[in-house]
Amino acid sequence: MFDRVWTGAHLCTMDGPPEDPLGIVEDGAIAAKDGRIAWIGRRRDLPGRAAQATECHGAWILPGLVDCHTHLVFAGDRAAEFEQRLAGASYEAIARAGGGILSTVRATRAAGEDALLREAEPRLVGLMAEGVTTVEIKSGYGLSLEAELAQLRVARRLAAEHPVEVATTLLAAHAVPPEFAGRRAEYARHVAEEILPAAAASGLADAVDAFCERIAFTPEETEMVFEAARAAGLPVKLHADQLSDGGGAALAARHGALSADHLEYANPEGLAAMARAGSVAVLLPGAFHFLREERRPDIGAMRAAGLRMAVATDLNPGSSPALSLLLMLNLACTLFRLTVAEALLGVTRHAAAALGLSDRGRLAPGLRCDLALYRIGRPAELCYWMGGNPCTGRVLAGRG
């Protein structure tokens, strides 16, 4: 006997052949046992019974959505900088003048963990309401040993207090803190030798990220951090080629990164290297839109290389104050010209791969029973509507 079944639903399994990548099953059913999918197929073929049955009345079921790139835990906002950019100031100019990331660092350091938790909760709950069941949360607004660990502790608390899976990423190599002004390489060494080992030893970090860019860290400094991550047994990710072609995509590939994210300026050779390495390209259309960038990621080169593409909010106060993953689906299609199938795979199967999570992102026997239910007429509506939320239910490990 199954623990639970959902019947009368149309399914987007994200597990189909190239001609049907969404793997659609009409008038389908899903059965769960011990938190995992035990059976999936057409309703008429459903074997056995279940302790609990839910009739879905024609709803569409997708794997629970995965937001694979967020900076969700922070204090304050940067609305004043938004006004400055509207008046003509660039993102780089604001950062070099002491604004940008460092302004959020000051606010985050001043806030206690309880305050950070209270500010983060509404952001997380909003994502969950859209069908998100797994979310990545980065640090990077502490930039000191204790403040970075505090952000990661808050991320763990969010997972403990809400029905959602949280993957944590140490992003101490996000910017140079004020106390290391003019000593960027020394701070990168501090991250590699002090902050990263402490985060690994505490069990607070699931992965390590770095910002490799002309306003952040050089490839050589990034590699120092990545070597320390390897020594600690942690996988790596990379903010790469957002503002310039710094060879970030190729660097990520050399280190077997789970993903490289942004990639507006990445060259085709670097993208092909990522594909060969098995890395995922995480597209962040919210930042592209909010910063009014003009250089789009080379989607054609990604397709040609067979590079998996994920889509995420990049939820952060400075460059992507995006509270909706569903809106990112629309922006990925309209701004980056993704197809509906590419966008939906980008917030399910490929987003899970960007976090190294092979047990979710698809509807298939043996995987976690993480589901998102939507009252829509066809899957394209999730990419089509701008605003609104058609999510009518969310299931986490067979519960919900």
Side-chain angles (χ1 to χ4, degrees):
M1 176 180 286
F2 302 123
D3 295 332
R4 188 172 177 185
V5 299
W6 292 263
T7 60
H10 306 304
L11 313 177
C12 273
T13 68
M14 305 299 167
D15 201 32
E19 62 271 18
D20 176 26
L22 297 184
I24 291 176
V25 178
E26 295 186 348
D27 193 19
I30 301 174
K33 180 74 173 178
D34 298 328
R36 294 190 174 270
I37 297 172
W39 184 91
I40 183 170
R42 293 194 178 277
R43 172 165 56 174
R44 64 172 180 259
D45 299 324
L46 177 65
R49 297 178 298 164
Q52 182 180 357
T54 299
E55 169 57 46
C56 298
H57 302 289
W60 282 83
I61 298 181
L62 277 69
L65 305 190
V66 178
D67 193 349
C68 64
H69 183 131
T70 86
H71 306 251
L72 192 144
V73 174
F74 59 86
D77 64 68
R78 304 223 298 264
E81 292 180 13
F82 176 58
E83 290 185 279
Q84 292 175 24
R85 282 199 298 275
L86 291 176
S90 71
Y91 180 70
E92 290 185 67
I94 291 171
R96 293 189 187 282
I101 291 170
L102 292 184
S103 65
T104 300
V105 170
R106 290 190 291 271
T108 301
R109 286 181 173 184
E113 290 185 30
D114 288 343
L116 288 174
L117 183 76
R118 288 193 299 271
E119 286 202 47
E121 280 182 316
R123 303 169 194 140
L124 177 62
V125 170
L127 291 173
M128 292 165 55
E130 292 189 337
V132 171
T133 52
T134 298
V135 60
E136 186 247 22
I137 299 177
K138 302 179 190 293
S139 64
Y141 292 128
L143 306 188
S144 70
L145 175 57
E146 184 49 41
E148 286 289 298
L149 295 184
Q151 279 193 274
L152 295 174
R153 282 194 294 268
V154 170
R156 292 289 197 224
R157 286 176 61 184
L158 288 167
E161 297 180 19
H162 296 273
V164 67
E165 290 282 309
V166 172
T168 57
T169 299
L170 176 72
L171 181 58
H174 195 196
V176 179
E179 59 269 25
F180 280 87
R183 296 181 293 146
R184 186 188 62 216
E186 186 178 340
Y187 176 67
R189 189 172 301 108
H190 177 61
V191 171
E193 297 178 357
E194 304 293 337
I195 299 178
L196 193 157
S202 68
L204 289 173
D206 299 320
V208 171
D209 198 349
F211 188 14
C212 183
E213 189 53 77
R214 59 195 180 198
I215 63 170
F217 296 91
T218 67
E220 294 75 20
E221 291 157 353
T222 300
E223 292 201 90
M224 183 195 316
V225 173
F226 280 6
E227 291 295 341
R230 179 180 291 107
L234 293 174
V236 298
K237 303 167 68 68
L238 186 64
H239 284 59
D241 302 330
Q242 179 186 8
L243 305 173
S244 63
D245 182 2
L251 188 157
R254 287 198 302 274
H255 288 268
L258 291 173
S259 73
D261 306 28
H262 288 292
L263 299 172
E264 281 86 340
Y265 284 84
N267 60 64
E269 293 75 20
L271 297 174
M274 283 180 58
R276 291 192 297 270
S279 301
V280 177
V282 178
L283 306 177
L284 303 172
F288 177 88
H289 166 73
F290 192 74
L291 296 177
R292 296 187 294 176
E293 296 290 346
E294 297 181 354
R295 174 72 171 259
R296 294 179 174 84
D298 192 341
I299 303 301
M302 294 181 189
R303 288 173 178 150
L307 179 60
R308 292 172 295 176
M309 296 179 286
V311 176
T313 60
D314 191 17
L315 169 53
N316 75 78
S319 62
S320 185
L323 300 173
S324 169
L325 186 57
L326 294 181
L327 178 58
M328 297 305 102
L329 287 173
N330 178 276
L331 294 183
C333 293
T334 57
L335 298 181
F336 292 168
R337 308 295 192 266
L338 264 61
T339 67
V340 165
E342 287 171 335
L344 292 177
L345 286 165
V347 296
T348 53
R349 182 171 186 161
H350 296 163
L355 298 178
L357 299 173
S358 60
D359 64 344
R360 66 200 72 185
R362 297 178 291 131
L363 302 181
L367 300 189
R368 283 175 57 97
C369 189
D370 291 350
L371 312 177
L373 286 72
Y374 297 98
R375 183 61 58 187
I376 53 177
R378 57 190 296 136
E381 288 189 41
L382 294 176
C383 304
Y384 165 73
W385 293 109
M386 298 176 65
N389 179 13
C391 183
T392 59
R394 200 180 64 102
V395 176
L396 185 72
R399 300 182 302 277

